[in-house]
Amino acid sequence: MTKTAERRYTYEDLSGLLSLMSGDEKHGPAATSTLDALWVLYDRVLRVTPERVDDPERDRFLLSKGHGPMAYYAVLAAKGFVPVEWLPGFGSYDSPLGHHPDRVLVPGAEIGSGSLGHGLPIAVGTALGLRAQGLHEPAVWVLVGDAELDEGSNHEAIAYAGPAGLDRLHTVVIDNSSASYARPGGIAARFEAAGWSVESVDGRDHEALYEAFTAPHPGRPRVVIAQVEPKSA
């Protein structure tokens, strides 16, 4: 058992864990924009623990917004997936905690990520694969950034998942107003047009996030748009 697993960390500890990671290319806004959604998911929603990372019945969480992984690493450390002692080495040559997460090196990471636009299509494939295996309990969660929705691969995934009735698929869009292209009606309208269950919430309000994450959506995939402060230039 690691030292991380022996201590119970809380949300209030995350700023201290984040401060252990230093160096260039920290992508601070990309990390801090996801912090609250990640914490609520791992603390109250996801059915996965360090002991269950290979359990076929576990929930799957895919970090598509992988170019700012500090918050992800801090939450994984707080929940015992990785040792806290790894955090100060973030981004160094011999550290498993790279500037983009690597599923081979980071316990609990389901995919390697960082190239925008890949996570949601992979999540659709994961949900289909679980369905084909008769595994109907595991939920698939993917966290994307609003700027990722500039990528066409995501729109193909959105258009497919609704009619396919992938009700074990859940997407969290972190909206910090960094997308390049506007959409009529906003992000929510795009998912609604494809038959998704949609809700927009304050991305810093833990109770609102929890209620949105756990709301029933029979027969439809679910998207929660977590609105946070705009990314500064």
Side-chain angles (χ1 to χ4, degrees), residues 62-67 99-103 111-115:
L62 284 60
L63 180 70
S64 186
K65 188 178 168 69
H67 58 292
H99 293 136
H100 296 173
D102 186 329
R103 71 177 184 86
I111 61 171
S113 56
S115 296

Side-chain angles (χ1 to χ4, degrees), residues 21-111:
M21 290 174 274
S22 60
D24 295 332
E25 298 186 23
K26 291 172 63 175
H27 292 290
T32 55
S33 66
T34 67
L35 188 63
D36 296 274
L38 284 168
W39 178 256
V40 173
L41 282 171
Y42 274 91
D43 191 53
R44 303 172 63 181
V45 178
L46 293 174
R47 298 181 309 115
V48 63
T49 65
E51 297 76 29
R52 295 186 64 192
V53 293
D54 295 317
D55 184 350
E57 294 289 344
R58 74 189 183 280
D59 288 346
R60 274 73 165 172
F61 174 78
L62 284 60
L63 180 70
S64 186
K65 188 178 168 69
H67 58 292
M70 290 194 307
Y72 185 48
Y73 294 152
V75 171
L76 288 179
K79 291 300 179 181
F81 290 87
V82 304
V84 168
E85 291 77 12
W86 285 8
L87 299 181
F90 164 71
S92 62
Y93 175 76
D94 58 351
S95 172
L97 304 182
H99 293 136
H100 296 173
D102 186 329
R103 71 177 184 86
V104 176
L105 300 178
V106 181
E110 296 282 354
I111 61 171

